[in-house]
Amino acid sequence: MTGQVTPTFYRNIDREDMLSGYLKKYKTTKHARDLVRYYERFVDIFFTKPELIASESGHNRAWICDAMRKFGQYYDRKFQNPELKILIEEIIKRYEVNKNVRIHDRVWIADDGFIDAMIYKVLELEGEIGTITRFALFSGLRGEEMTYAHETPICDVLSGCDCNKLHLVVKGNYVFLVLNRIVGQKCAFFTIIPLKVWNEYKVLGRQANRKET
């Protein structure tokens, strides 16, 4: 009658039980706790006045969307009620909560030749910093994923193996590197890089150790 929405279902949620479920599902404790923190901070606004979320930064809105979606999944597992997940998606879509939350949602214009010039400068870097930068450029991996690729041993089995080691296949001058690494929302399944770049990157640090010995 008043036009005001006063949902109460989410106020009876056991936050500790939610966190416990997230800790079992996600590998990093910080990611699980962040999901609960964003839920606690924004759940009232999300279900009663979602239009106010538009003033939040893209980074915050991305986390809010993720926290609410994970809450919907938790609610479904706990109470066998998938309708909340549908409601959450409708709110996100209707109020454009996830609009422009990523850099990929923007159009960037570069001057003629700018990208080519920057790439050539990167490829001309020397020493270890040059090797690391080239590997990052060609592989597209994040910092922790690059460290993982460098420090993790290589498995001898080429197929049908589910161990935690790296798996790679050399095809001509390129390497198909399989990582299958998932940490929170960050996934790195595989990458394709030039063989020369991979060989130079993989031996980093070993050469220095040999000189010391």
Side-chain angles (χ1 to χ4, degrees):
M1 297 295 290
T2 62
Q4 295 180 347
V5 180
T6 56
T8 59
F9 63 92
Y10 58 81
R11 294 174 182 168
N12 300 322
I13 295 298
D14 186 342
R15 312 293 171 83
E16 291 300 323
D17 182 69
M18 180 193 297
L19 176 59
S20 177
Y22 288 171
L23 290 173
K24 294 177 182 178
K25 187 174 182 180
Y26 303 107
K27 293 184 178 180
T28 57
T29 301
K30 182 180 183 303
H31 180 68
R33 294 188 182 279
D34 284 344
L35 287 173
V36 175
R37 278 195 288 264
Y38 272 89
Y39 167 82
E40 292 175 337
R41 181 180 174 186
F42 292 100
V43 65
D44 278 309
I45 299 176
F46 183 84
F47 285 110
T48 58
K49 296 182 179 180
E51 65 274 9
L52 298 181
I53 298 178
S55 61
E56 296 291 331
S57 67
H59 175 81
N60 279 351
R61 285 185 287 111
W63 269 102
I64 293 169
C65 289
D66 195 29
M68 297 308 154
R69 283 168 172 155
K70 295 300 189 298
F71 166 60
Q73 296 170 9
Y74 164 80
Y75 194 88
D76 184 20
R77 291 194 302 270
K78 191 74 175 178
F79 302 103
Q80 292 76 50
N81 187 349
E83 293 182 2
L84 179 60
K85 293 189 294 185
I86 299 175
L87 173 62
I88 290 173
E89 290 300 329
E90 289 180 350
I91 292 175
I92 291 174
K93 183 177 180 180
R94 179 176 180 180
Y95 293 93
E96 298 183 325
V97 180
N98 61 344
K99 183 178 181 180
N100 297 328
V101 297
R102 302 180 305 165
I103 193 172
H104 305 85
D105 295 325
R106 303 179 183 179
V107 176
W108 300 86
I109 300 178
D111 294 335
D112 291 341
F114 174 79
I115 296 178
D116 289 344
M118 292 300 101
I119 291 177
Y120 280 120
K121 286 184 178 180
V122 169
L123 295 177
E124 291 173 355
L125 291 174
E126 299 179 354
E128 289 191 358
I129 186 64
T131 301
I132 295 172
T133 305
R134 282 189 291 275
F135 182 78
L137 175 66
F138 283 105
S139 69
L141 298 178
R142 306 175 184 90
E144 293 180 356
E145 295 162 355
M146 291 176 58
T147 302
Y148 178 82
H150 183 262
E151 297 179 351
T152 304
I154 300 172
C155 179
D156 296 329
V157 181
L158 296 181
S159 62
C161 180
D162 59 354
C163 72
N164 295 325
K165 296 181 180 180
L166 298 177
H167 297 81
L168 63 87
V169 177
V170 178
K171 294 291 184 180
N173 295 324
Y174 290 89
V175 170
F176 291 75
L177 180 64
V178 179
L179 297 90
N180 283 331
R181 183 176 187 267
I182 302 175
V183 178
Q185 293 178 302
K186 299 178 180 179
C187 304
F189 296 108
F190 75 96
T191 184
I192 304 173
I193 50 179
L195 177 60
K196 181 180 179 182
V197 173
W198 166 249
N199 288 337
E200 291 176 349
Y201 179 72
K202 193 62 176 176
V203 299
L204 277 180
R206 299 178 185 176
Q207 296 174 342
N209 292 335
R210 290 171 185 168
K211 292 179 181 179
E212 292 177 0
T213 56

